[in-house]
Amino acid sequence: MTTKANNAIYDVHDKPPFWTWFGLSLQHLFSMFGATVLVPLLVGLNPGVALFTSGVGTLLHMLITRGNIPAYMGSSFAFIIPMTSLMKTLGYPGVAQGIISVGLVYLVVAAIVTFIGTRWIDRLFPAELVGPIIVVIGLSLAGSAASSATMLNGKYDWKIFVVALITLLGTIAFNMFLKGFLGLLSVLLGIIFGYIVALVFGLVDLSPVAAAHWFQLPDFETFIGKDGFQFYPAAVLSMAPLALVTLSEHLGHLMVLSKVTGHDFFKNPGLKRTLAGDGTASIVAGLVGGPAVTSYGENIGVMQLSRVYSVWVIGGAAAFAVVFSFIGKLSALISTIPGAVTGGVGFVLYGVIAAAGLQVIVDNKIDYTQKRNLMIAAPILVIGIGNFHLQLGPQVDFSGVAIATLLGIILNLTLPKVAASEK
């Protein structure tokens, strides 16, 4: 292993040796697994299908971007509330139509970028806006990590706290003190270490593994109901606008990936291809029974910690996800990883995302003595992290990240460059 000019151990197109590749891909699989299966569990969808669509979506994204960007596609948290409401009122056909509409929004934006370029996106999302949004993307997940790391069945449990803390400290220690191959697997080792500790504390229930079949076909569904196709406008109206949130998340992740890897992914493969990849992945997910997908910050965090940016590794994780979705006992085993462990690792991974947002701010030398920059960043941070959300009926709920993003865009377009008091 040799370190490249961009500090990479394995760069974007480098193919690691087989067993190294195997371990690195498993690390990415385990890092995204908890969040990817949590979304369908909360919504009422099949976790096996979510695992399948995350793998297929990632492989499609790689195909559309010509293997030039190491992005993993996992279940999106931005759509949990509308998907849950639609599942209760319309069933999966309504959820599917909403998910497909989100993918179509991405494809429309990709088409616009193809014909008129990206200057309008640069105007909408400058660094002084994207930096705080990335921070919010990371820290908005902090509450979820903290809850997983302290609560058991809705009640505080000191054992959960201890396991999460030990998992966190183990992950940090593995990252800081291990060298060579093992040093690349700090997140995976942290999860395994935390899992063993959780077993000792009696927090792991292995009965689902015993009950699961070795081969188990995921419970695929479609947008066509039992009584035939019926169009649900409410599903489209409740989910399509939220594509604005995941669009800003997409840009933020792309900017972070470019910063972390030293490659300008806005130029190669280009925004039109990355958007088309995201959109296609969500459309396919909606066609077979999975949740909407988006690029995953957890996997970006793993790349930043390991300095391994290989698309071969991401592709391997995607292949594992597809295979595991059909192997009942393996997917059941991974699903037994308790929230204490995923929460403990999340403290690192989500923080790494937030730190990447800070790095965008530092690298672009955003000056917060200027009132304009301060008035853009301040409400974005508080509204996004505090989840100041807008609910319009049981089926339409705009999250704090969505409100923060929209407000940030409006402020960026309307505020003068210099405040009157600064002239």
Side-chain angles (χ1 to χ4, degrees):
M1 293 182 293
T2 57
T3 302
K4 309 295 175 62
N6 63 348
N7 207 33
I9 294 175
Y10 292 109
D11 211 343
V12 172
H13 295 108
D14 292 344
K15 183 180 179 181
F18 179 79
W19 288 112
T20 302
W21 179 16
F22 185 90
L24 292 171
S25 293
L26 276 182
Q27 176 171 249
H28 275 281
L29 175 73
F30 288 172
S31 297
M32 69 83 196
F33 188 92
T36 289
V37 301
L38 177 60
V39 172
L41 288 174
L42 293 174
V43 173
L45 303 179
N46 185 276
V49 177
L51 194 59
F52 175 82
T53 54
S54 77
V56 170
T58 300
L59 294 174
L60 285 172
H61 189 276
M62 292 180 65
L63 179 65
I64 292 170
T65 57
R66 299 177 177 176
N68 286 318
I69 179 169
Y72 193 92
M73 310 300 292
S75 304
S76 176
F77 280 77
F79 304 97
I80 286 180
I81 293 176
M83 284 195 299
T84 302
S85 298
L86 291 171
M87 196 67 182
K88 292 178 180 178
T89 57
L90 303 177
Y92 187 75
V95 175
Q97 291 179 30
I99 293 170
I100 293 170
S101 71
V102 169
L104 291 174
V105 169
Y106 267 76
L107 294 184
V108 169
V109 175
I112 294 173
V113 169
T114 300
F115 289 108
I116 67 175
T118 62
R119 292 187 65 180
W120 64 280
I121 292 182
D122 296 335
R123 173 77 175 117
L124 284 178
F125 297 98
E128 57 266 30
L129 175 60
V130 172
I133 289 175
I134 296 173
V135 174
V136 164
I137 290 171
L139 295 187
S140 65
L141 299 170
S144 174
S147 178
S148 297
T150 54
M151 307 294 286
L152 180 63
N153 298 324
K155 296 181 180 180
Y156 183 90
D157 192 310
W158 67 269
K159 291 185 292 185
I160 302 294
F161 173 88
V162 171
V163 172
L165 183 61
I166 292 175
T167 301
L168 168 63
L169 295 176
T171 303
I172 293 173
F174 294 140
N175 184 259
M176 293 298 296
F177 300 113
L178 293 181
K179 297 180 180 179
F181 173 64
L182 291 179
L184 303 178
L185 302 177
S186 60
V187 177
L188 175 59
L189 293 175
I191 292 173
I192 294 173
F193 177 63
Y195 190 85
I196 294 172
V197 174
L199 277 170
V200 173
F201 276 77
L203 298 177
V204 179
D205 179 14
L206 293 175
S207 59
V209 181
H213 298 289
W214 279 106
F215 178 82
Q216 189 168 315
L217 189 68
D219 187 16
F220 295 112
E221 297 188 65
T222 72
F223 61 92
I224 301 175
K226 295 180 180 179
D227 300 324
F229 176 76
Q230 182 178 348
F231 178 57
Y232 298 107
V236 175
L237 292 175
S238 65
M239 292 190 64
L242 289 180
L244 178 64
V245 179
T246 50
L247 176 61
S248 66
E249 185 179 24
H250 177 93
L251 294 172
H253 285 169
L254 206 59
M255 185 174 288
V256 174
L257 272 173
S258 297
K259 173 61 184 176
V260 168
T261 64
H263 296 270
D264 189 348
F265 295 123
F266 288 93
K267 290 184 178 179
N268 184 30
L271 191 57
K272 63 182 180 182
R273 289 190 175 274
T274 63
L275 287 170
D278 270 36
T280 302
S282 279
I283 290 173
V284 170
L287 290 174
V288 299
V293 298
T294 186
S295 55
Y296 250 30
E298 288 89 339
N299 298 88
I300 296 174
V302 170
M303 281 185 270
Q304 189 164 5
L305 290 174
S306 65
R307 291 183 290 139
V308 174
Y309 315 134
S310 172
V311 293
W312 290 91
V313 171
I314 297 297
F320 277 137
V322 173
V323 172
F324 280 19
S325 69
F326 290 92
I327 302 177
K329 287 192 180 295
L330 283 175
S331 58
L333 177 63
I334 298 176
S335 68
T336 63
I337 298 174
V341 175
T342 57
V345 172
F347 287 144
V348 176
L349 297 182
Y350 301 152
V352 165
I353 299 170
L358 295 177
Q359 191 65 51
V360 169
I361 293 171
V362 171
D363 289 347
N364 288 275
K365 299 179 181 179
I366 306 301
D367 184 2
Y368 284 112
T369 63
Q370 295 183 10
K371 289 186 176 181
R372 182 182 190 275
N373 294 336
L374 195 60
M375 290 301 99
I376 290 175
I380 287 176
L381 294 173
V382 177
I383 289 173
I385 296 171
N387 193 27
F388 176 67
H389 63 103
L390 173 64
Q391 185 169 344
L392 302 174
Q395 296 180 9
V396 182
D397 194 318
F398 297 95
S399 68
V401 177
I403 300 300
T405 301
L406 180 59
L407 178 61
I409 292 172
I410 294 172
L411 291 174
N412 173 62
L413 293 175
T414 57
L415 291 181
K417 293 294 182 182
V418 181
S421 61
E422 295 174 323
K423 293 181 180 178

